[in-house]
Amino acid sequence: MAVTGTYQRGAGRRAAASQARSGQAGASRPRPAARRRGEKGGVGGAVQRTERKIFGVPERFMRPRLILIATVVLLTAFGCLMIYSASSISSLTSDVLGNDPAYYLKKQLQFIALGGVAAFVLAKVDYHEFTNGRASMPMWGAMVVVLVLVFTPIAGQSTYGASRWISLPLIGNLQPSEFAKIGIVWLAAGVCQQRFDDGTIDDAQFVKNGVLAAVLPLVLIVAQPDKGTTMVIGVALLAMLFFAGFDRRYLGMIALVALAGMVFLSVKDSYSLRRIQIMLDPFQDYYNDGYQLAQGQYAFGSGGLFGVGIGMSRMKYSYLPMAHNDFIFAIIGEECGLVGTLGVLAAFGVIAWQGMKIARCASDLSGRLVAVGCTSLLAFQMLLNVCGVIGIFPLSGKPIPFLSYGGSSIMASLLIVGALVSVSVHSSLPETVHDRTRRTWQQVADESDPGSLTFVSDARPRSARGAVRQEAQGRGAGSAQPQAGSPFRVVAGGAQGRSRGQARPQRGRVTTDANGRRRIDLGPSASDRLRGGSDGPRTRR
């Protein structure tokens, strides 16, 4: 303790002298914040960031995962509340629904339970199984088959002039394009991994695999027609190509061609063209095609800043069609006001931010692209719905993830979250050069005491150190030797030369000075040896 205190006092004096010299020189620069705190920079800060854990998992993996899951849970719970509020009157007055005001809420809870279980299972499965693993090809085949079944009279169901649903027993109608979104993201991430990271395929094979993985399913989705889902998937694919390092010139050309194609399809179809005209002025045909959009704007106007209160909406009394589905954002604006709508947008902003953090911490390119693609799917679909409801983009018929009623929508959204969590769970810290060096360390232990390992031996006076060196040289032939090429070795310390159970020899003396401080006697100093004595000074001849 005396040695330590002396060192600290000496270090303090040196630091004070250095600061005084800096002040005399006129360089009164404060130390950087990273070095001052010891948390954000330097070796100590890096070690602290690496070792900080949450539930035994490094913080940079667990924190975005927990925030993402918590935000999704809150949005889903808020969505159930708003679905009940928006649909209670219409279901209460419907004989077909059994005059049950909680009919849609009960159905939504069933879909949430199914989607939650599927998302939990998906989070446990390694995402590599779907990108380039054994499950990638069966998944692609099942996806294409289901998308083709939509057009068959056996399973296909046409609603509102579009063939987008298939009928399944015990579940009802499901929209395959909602589930195809995540499959396309998985397959596209695997193709980009092969081209840009592994380098196992060339440009021609990259285009071929990309057409099979993404373009073919997109063509089947456009043919339904489902332009809203096509736009969502297209934006996600463009974001993935951008983060994969695709040439930006070609990426811009692809974006322009895709935009021109969507404009052509919107102008070609009469009902899509009508949606564009209604967006520009919903009151020109108030009682027909513009009625829903106009009523939605009335709902926003009635809400004001803080809304009329949860459950107090007037538009849900059959004034606003599909209030619990596509236009639930208008009901949120009426009952929760501008503050409520901004809160929803902020929640999706948190999801997007945490999704990008998961992408940044992913172990490989495919993981980063899966996280980027899934985050883009959720964020852009929300924007597509919100922009359509407030009248700055044509209505697409896409619901808001986690908020709108719909089995396919909520289950697909939860599966996307499960895919994001899978990337976070199966990411690992990258190996550094220091990790590789530690694996080459070898232990040199004494044969008489195997398994003993001490890094610090007993304190010895200077007069005894020569005998210790001679002892070590004498038993050098019987000691274990490190493997060839090992850059570092750990040598057993004070346990050498003793059998088990033998008392540890006392090689240093502990004395107490006049002030009661205990210190280790390290032997005579140089001045004591020069003064003479029985032994006399030790010189080398």
Side-chain angles (χ1 to χ4, degrees), residues 13-73:
R13 288 194 296 269
R14 288 191 296 270
S18 176
Q19 185 175 3
R21 288 193 300 270
S22 300
Q24 293 173 1
S28 58
R29 297 189 302 269
R31 291 194 302 172
R35 295 176 179 267
R36 185 171 59 250
R37 292 189 299 267
E39 296 180 355
K40 300 297 183 181
V43 177
V47 172
Q48 186 175 3
R49 288 198 304 271
T50 305
E51 294 180 351
R52 187 179 301 168
K53 295 183 179 181
I54 301 177
F55 302 119
V57 180
E59 182 185 16
R60 68 172 187 167
F61 295 134
M62 182 57 77
R63 183 182 295 274
R65 189 189 314 168
L66 293 179
I67 296 177
L68 172 68
I69 295 175
T71 307
V72 169
V73 171

Side-chain angles (χ1 to χ4, degrees), residues 225-241:
D226 190 353
K227 292 185 288 294
T229 303
T230 304
M231 285 189 290
V232 172
I233 298 175
V235 170
L237 291 176
L238 290 176
M240 293 171 65
L241 289 175

